[in-house]
Amino acid sequence: MENKILTAVFISGKGTNLKKLIQLSKTKKSPIKICLIISSNSKAEGLKYSIKYKIKKYVIKKNDKDSEIKILKKLEINKISFICLAGYMRILSKKFIKNFKGKIINIHPSLLPKYKGLNTHRRVLENNELYTGCTVHFVSRKLDSGKIILQKKIKIYKKDNIKKLNKRVLLEEHKIYPKAILKIFS
Ligand code: GRF
């Protein structure tokens, strides 16, 4: 695909979803090209993909009150017009989200609108749910509430614990995140 959409991925941790998005971005059919990784954590494991795939990175300093202004600058310099949040642990301001309306997506490890926020697997297990899942959605001003793009339902087994569930849900996240991007731009 010519004229790919220049994309930034925001991370804070392992970056396993980031890796899958980079792999998609390397394919011919991909509508996006990942050219910037933003991390809210200087020790994020996912930053290794910046080196491996020669993608620019920008790490936000702890307690930096102007971090969003600096991020916006980086996005502008790199002509970024699409943002994928992948385990990004900071809340973006309403102003930032408005600026990029319809151009920020996120992956969440639950069947939204159920279990917004953190510790989803623990809460799902505590409530003896029969199913959980993962969701790719547009980012709106309300946390984990924007329009759903793609969802995968996952059965919960009696022997499941947080670790097992996390592993199985993550495997599905890796499949639906690239799929959701193809869907948006198809
Ligand atoms: C994923 O479970 C994602 O749904 C959540 O944070 C986790 C990030 O994992 N928002 P990784 O950094 O992509 O491995």
Side-chain angles (χ1 to χ4, degrees):
M1 197 188 235
E2 298 288 321
N3 299 322
K4 296 200 180 204
I5 298 146
L6 304 185
T7 299
V9 182
F10 287 34
I11 62 163
S12 300
K14 285 204 167 129
T16 62
N17 279 290
L18 163 68
K19 184 182 173 194
K20 295 292 163 185
L21 297 186
I22 295 173
Q23 286 171 347
L24 165 75
S25 114
K26 299 270 178 211
T27 64
K28 238 183 169 179
K29 65 175 181 190
S30 172
I32 62 161
K33 180 180 179 196
I34 295 169
C35 25
L36 184 63
I37 298 167
I38 305 253
S39 175
S40 67
N41 169 11
S42 61
K43 296 198 171 70
E45 217 181 300
L47 282 171
K48 68 182 177 204
Y49 298 115
S50 148
I51 300 163
K52 184 170 179 197
Y53 293 101
K54 298 191 176 66
I55 298 170
K56 281 188 208 168
K57 66 158 191 263
Y58 177 64
V59 179
I60 302 162
K61 303 240 160 45
K62 248 192 192 169
N63 306 321
D64 184 350
K65 287 194 192 99
D66 294 326
S67 64
E68 276 199 3
I69 297 171
K70 289 175 189 158
I71 292 173
L72 276 172
K73 249 207 185 115
K74 291 283 170 193
L75 298 177
E76 206 181 306
I77 295 168
N78 290 284
K79 300 189 167 59
I80 300 294
S81 57
F82 193 63
I83 295 171
C84 300
L85 306 182
Y88 186 62
M89 295 301 282
R90 280 215 192 169
I91 306 270
L92 294 167
S93 73
K94 292 194 163 90
K95 197 175 160 200
F96 187 98
I97 294 168
K98 208 175 152 196
N99 246 318
F100 274 87
K101 198 168 177 255
K103 291 178 177 137
I104 312 177
I105 62 172
N106 181 40
I107 184 139
H108 185 77
S110 83
L111 275 182
L112 289 175
K114 290 180 103 177
Y115 301 101
K116 295 171 185 174
L118 297 175
N119 303 317
T120 53
H121 304 317
R122 180 172 57 70
R123 289 185 285 137
V124 158
L125 289 170
E126 277 170 5
N127 287 343
N128 296 314
E129 295 279 2
L130 296 176
Y131 293 93
T132 185
C134 46
T135 306
V136 181
H137 64 96
F138 284 104
V139 172
S140 68
R141 286 194 272 173
K142 265 195 181 167
L143 184 73
D144 298 329
S145 298
K147 190 174 171 236
I148 291 170
I149 302 156
L150 215 57
Q151 229 168 15
K152 172 76 186 181
K153 197 171 171 182
I154 295 157
K155 194 169 161 39
I156 298 175
Y157 301 109
K158 281 216 174 76
K159 58 175 177 24
D160 269 332
N161 54 34
I162 296 176
K163 207 174 154 193
K164 281 180 183 167
L165 211 50
N166 182 49
K167 202 172 161 190
R168 266 201 346 274
V169 173
L170 201 55
L171 276 176
E172 295 302 330
E173 290 184 32
H174 295 161
K175 293 181 200 157
I176 68 162
Y177 213 170
K179 267 191 197 163
I181 291 171
L182 291 174
K183 187 178 169 192
I184 295 170
F185 297 106
S186 65

